[in-house]
């Protein structure tokens, strides 16, 4: 349903969504992917165990630590990070190919991942930080993940509080009060960023053609 | 109908629309004002004669050259420019008051005006350059303004060609192929820019409150 794309040749962008655990970023990411045909999820590799309902190759590529270390050594990861004692990383090739063909990539990664992307690919990066509407709501969401133990939940709450400090590195900040509103907000950001002059690499040729054609009409 | 505004305290922004004559920016500006409750038009002062259908105080404040020069000397204009032998300028006070109270201001001005705003108020500025879909369509639109003479039209076509070079100074570029699409695109830009971290001056306090509340819940 995306019919707002540019008529000019453009370069794809990397849309990073981050948030403290439990603020709702993964739900927002999934809704956004349903809503926009030109946005694809960057599927990370991870060494963390697969959770019930997760699909290998769709949610993550689940790999072991040895394979992960091989990929890091070979420079095949655009970013990688250690989160809750597990490794996560972004394969480089799928991203490069998408951006060159005007495809936009969505990254559901944490602030460590965003920082590495920013060091390597700042010009293509658009980053959005999602905040929970209140501490009580965040606590409720963290507790409702049935598969986590009380100890894990307590650790996550402390970590969520720390993670919030990272909002300052992000281009946009959204408070996730209402899921549908948050999805529309992030989608507006995606649509707007596509029209940034710097991404529309075809604009110079387009203007020169207009000017040349105007000469013949005068 | 704007229900996507931030829940955080934020600073207003200055949305500048510019285009070569005839590319459709004034029509886009009017549609945008109808669509968004929180956007108001910055009404410029001008020394150019009032056209049929224009209303003093709504389309422009029509003033004489002596009054214009007094305002410039008193520093009451945020920007001013000479366009087609007439002066145009933006009164400073209405803008400052709007931005401080989270109101967004729309500027239907040319590249000279944008440049002066950028020198003084870069942080609050969001600029969009509108291009016509083709030279033939631009020529058609310039000719359909019945009140302009053939000589004026020829001069405008030459000037439009020159003005197009200024796209490079703008944050966003939109090719106005379809009016409704262009309005939606500019509206997405407006909605997105409201969520820029730098505009949401309340985010720091909000995060500190979240963190403090989380401590009591742990």
């Amino acid at each position: 349903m995306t019919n707002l794309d540019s008529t000019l040749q453009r370069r794809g962008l990397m849309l990073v969504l981050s948030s403290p655990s439990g603020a709702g970023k993964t739900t927002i990411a999934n809704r956004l992917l349903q809503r926009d045909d030109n946005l694809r999820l960057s599927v990370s590799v991870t060494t963390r165990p697969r959770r019930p309902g997760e699909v290998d190759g769709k949610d993550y590529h689940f790999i072991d630590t040895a394979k992960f270390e091989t990929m890091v050594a070979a420079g095949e990861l655009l970013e990688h990070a250690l989160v809750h004692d597990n490794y996560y990383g972004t394969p480089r090739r799928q991203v490069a190919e998408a951006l060159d063909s005007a495809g936009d990539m969505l990254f559901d990664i944490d602030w460590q991942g965003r920082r590495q992307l920013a060091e390597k690919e700042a010009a293509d990066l658009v980053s959005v930080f999602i905040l929970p509407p209140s501490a009580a709501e965040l606590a409720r969401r963290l507790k409702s993940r049935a598969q986590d133990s009380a100890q894990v939940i307590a650790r996550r709450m402390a970590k969520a509080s720390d993670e919030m400090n990272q909002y300052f590195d992000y281009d946009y900040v959204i408070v996730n009060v209402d899921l549908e509103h948050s999805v529309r907000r992030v989608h507006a950001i995606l649509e707007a960023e596509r029209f940034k002059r710097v991404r529309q690499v075809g604009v110079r040729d387009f203007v020169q053609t207009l000017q040349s054609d105007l000469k013949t009409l005068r």
Side-chain angles (χ1 to χ4, degrees), chain A:
Chain A
M1 75 175 246
T2 169
N3 60 356
L4 280 180
D5 208 348
S6 179
T7 50
L8 299 172
Q9 192 199 336
R10 75 169 176 93
R11 182 162 169 77
L13 59 84
M14 301 159 71
L15 180 65
V16 171
L17 289 190
S18 302
S19 74
S21 304
K25 95 178 129 77
T26 301
T27 309
I28 293 172
N30 288 337
R31 295 279 187 104
L32 200 61
L33 289 165
Q34 286 167 17
R35 185 170 300 214
D36 196 289
D37 290 341
N38 200 48
L39 185 69
R40 272 178 297 163
L41 184 67
S42 166
V43 180
S44 297
V45 293
T46 184
T47 61
R48 92 153 156 69
R50 195 161 62 86
R51 290 185 190 149
E54 287 184 335
V55 178
D56 185 33
K58 182 170 169 286
D59 298 294
Y60 289 97
H61 300 289
F62 295 97
I63 61 177
D64 61 25
T65 304
K67 168 72 176 162
F68 189 89
E69 287 169 351
T70 304
M71 292 184 80
V72 172
E76 291 173 19
L77 298 181
L78 206 49
E79 58 82 33
H80 57 97
L82 181 67
V83 184
H84 301 312
D85 302 330
N86 294 300
Y87 288 106
Y88 295 79
T90 300
R92 180 190 295 272
R93 203 175 57 185
Q94 65 184 12
V95 177
E97 287 173 357
L99 300 192
D100 289 345
S101 57
D104 304 309
M105 294 293 279
L106 180 65
F107 294 80
D108 178 351
I109 56 178
D110 81 334
W111 63 272
Q112 300 180 72
R114 190 214 69 88
R115 197 169 282 185
Q116 288 178 71
L117 290 184
E119 282 166 358
K120 291 175 188 165
E121 313 284 343
D124 296 324
L125 203 67
V126 177
S127 60
V128 182
F129 199 78
I130 313 287
L131 287 168
S134 67
E137 178 61 19
L138 182 67
R140 195 190 65 73
R141 289 180 195 173
L142 288 175
K143 284 171 189 164
S144 69
R145 290 188 184 174
Q147 70 270 31
D148 294 327
S149 69
Q151 196 187 0
V152 168
I153 290 167
R155 199 174 63 169
R156 286 233 166 120
M157 278 177 68
K159 185 140 187 155
S161 186
D162 277 353
E163 287 169 335
M164 280 177 204
N165 292 321
Q166 305 302 329
Y167 79 87
F168 200 76
D169 278 348
Y170 285 72
D171 301 320
Y172 299 89
V173 174
I174 285 175
V175 180
N176 186 18
V177 178
D178 174 279
L179 176 62
E180 175 56 23
H181 281 191
S182 297
V183 173
R184 282 173 56 196
R185 286 163 175 175
V186 179
H187 199 215
I189 290 167
L190 174 63
E191 291 190 319
E193 288 279 347
R194 288 173 174 157
F195 293 97
K196 278 268 174 79
R197 174 182 48 76
V198 289
R199 302 193 203 292
Q200 300 194 89
V201 293
V203 64
R204 184 167 160 272
D205 284 351
F206 184 77
V207 167
Q208 286 181 347
T209 302
L210 281 177
Q211 290 175 323
S212 155
D213 289 352
L214 269 176
K215 247 183 216 161
T216 69
L217 288 170
R218 254 187 266 156

